[in-house]
């Protein structure tokens, strides 16, 4: 059993246990039993099927509307459980502070109990059907040494498109058209774009179609999902295009005093540390000293490698920003760097929140296009 499978099972079991506990504050008698039975059946059938598909390298197949409905239904339960638990805790402390006598007739049910499922349903529908497609644009200014004429150079980043059920090639075309209209000098892609063997070839052609829309082209680094979906085949598709694919190497941007580096991420967890350092050493092997440079990497811990080698800016993805956030911060910061801008010494790193996902839900963490303007340090 992999760690991913274990985490999914533990999460679902924990949620179900909390549901069985919190529903007692919203329903009673026969209504309570009926609600619990319906929820358990939904979770056993819907989420059981979803997890069964997801453990195969996050491969979710089937009618997208059904999958989205299952996820929205499951998230509604999670949000409702969280809201009820907060309400129960607040009520408990309020009664203690105010010495409010307990009304036994209302001991179990919260006041206005129907409000909690209604709030949960609203947030779930919003996160499942609206926010996950509501792409925002973010702009950053990055100081870099030795730019010279490249002062004001502007590049865009997308990441984790996860082409498939929840992100079509038509949506990819629309995303690239939107970025091209902003006229950045370069587009960078930090992996996990090619995630559907039936659409990957067409996606490569669409990328190539936009290569001329950016004066310095499109630069690409692989993520783990490219390896999941057949890295050799994807490399063949990209070899027929004008996309600049960086695999543990560095290249000078033609006509510019700027170097691009890229490292791979085949997701070999037992050897991740050694592999990461080895890839970085290969990438900087032919890199001149004291030149402005940008590193493309899928895993955010590569930000440390970029800083260790005085890379001006390291662009990463992989985390999806945790897909849940509050006040611009990740709700589940399970990675060393989970979302947003990182500064280490004179180097900067960025963890992109992603443009798609294999789990079709976002709340407080919308998909994004990140723009970076380089200025002389």
């Amino acid at each position: 059993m992999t760690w991913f499978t274990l985490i999914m099972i533990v999460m679902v079991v924990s949620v179900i246990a909390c549901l069985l506990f919190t529903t007692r504050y919203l329903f009673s008698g026969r209504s309570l039993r009926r609600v619990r039975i319906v929820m358990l059946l939904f979770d056993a059938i819907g989420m059981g099927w979803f997890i069964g598909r997801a453990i195969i390298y996050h491969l979710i197949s089937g009618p997208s509307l059904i999958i989205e409905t299952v996820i929205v239904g499951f998230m509604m339960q999670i949000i409702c459980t969280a809201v009820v638990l907060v309400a129960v805790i607040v009520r408990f402390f309020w009664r203690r502070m105010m010495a409010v006598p307990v009304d036994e007739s209302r001991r179990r049910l919260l006041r206005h109990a129907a409000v909690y499922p209604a709030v949960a349903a609203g947030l779930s529908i919003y996160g499942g059907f609206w926010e996950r497609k509501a792409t925002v644009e973010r702009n950053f200014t990055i100081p870099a040494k030795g730019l010279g004429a490249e002062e004001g150079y502007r590049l865009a980043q997308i990441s984790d498109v996860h082409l498939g059920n929840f992100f079509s090639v038509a949506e990819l075309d629309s995303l690239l058209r939107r970025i091209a209209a902003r006229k950045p000098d370069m587009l960078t892609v930090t992996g996990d774009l090619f995630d559907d063997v039936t659409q990957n070839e067409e996606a490569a052609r669409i990328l190539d179609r936009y290569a001329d829309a950016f004066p310095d082209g499109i630069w690409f680094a692989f993520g783990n999902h490219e390896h999941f979906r057949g890295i050799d085949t994807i490399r063949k598709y990209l070899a027929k295009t004008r996309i600049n694919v960086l695999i543990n190497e560095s290249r000078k941007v033609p006509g510019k005093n700027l170097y691009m580096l890229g490292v791979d991420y085949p997701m070999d967890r037992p050897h991740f540390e050694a592999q990461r350092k080895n890839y970085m050493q290969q990438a900087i092997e032919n890199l001149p000293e004291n030149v402005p440079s940008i590193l493309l990497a899928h895993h955010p811990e590569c930000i440390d490698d970029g800083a260790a080698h005085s890379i001006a800016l390291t662009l990463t993805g992989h985390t999806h920003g945790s897909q849940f956030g509050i006040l611009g911060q990740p709700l589940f910061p399970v990675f060393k760097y989970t979302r947003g801008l990182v500064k280490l010494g004179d180097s900067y790193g960025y963890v992109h929140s992603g443009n798609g996902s294999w789990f079709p839900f976002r709340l407080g963490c919308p998909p994004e296009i990140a723009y970076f303007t380089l200025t002389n340090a």
Side-chain angles (χ1 to χ4, degrees), residues 6 26 50-51 57 93 111 115 130 180 221 223 228 230 234 238 253 260 282 289 305 308 340 356 377:
L6 184 61
L26 302 177
F50 180 88
I51 292 173
Y57 290 141
F93 284 107
R111 291 191 64 185
V115 170
W130 174 257
F228 293 165
I234 292 170
L238 289 172
V253 178
M260 300 296 296
Q282 293 179 48
E289 293 185 5
D305 302 323

Side-chain angles (χ1 to χ4, degrees), residues 255-268:
K256 299 290 191 303
N257 183 37
L258 181 65
Y259 281 76
M260 300 296 296
L261 300 84
V263 292
D264 200 0
Y265 180 54
M267 203 172 179
D268 183 3

Side-chain angles (χ1 to χ4, degrees), residues 13 71 76 146 158 174 215 263 272 282 302 331 336 361:
V13 170
I71 295 303
M76 184 174 69
I158 60 173
S174 177
V263 292
F272 174 59
Q282 293 179 48
C302 293
L331 193 59
K336 184 176 182 179
F361 193 94

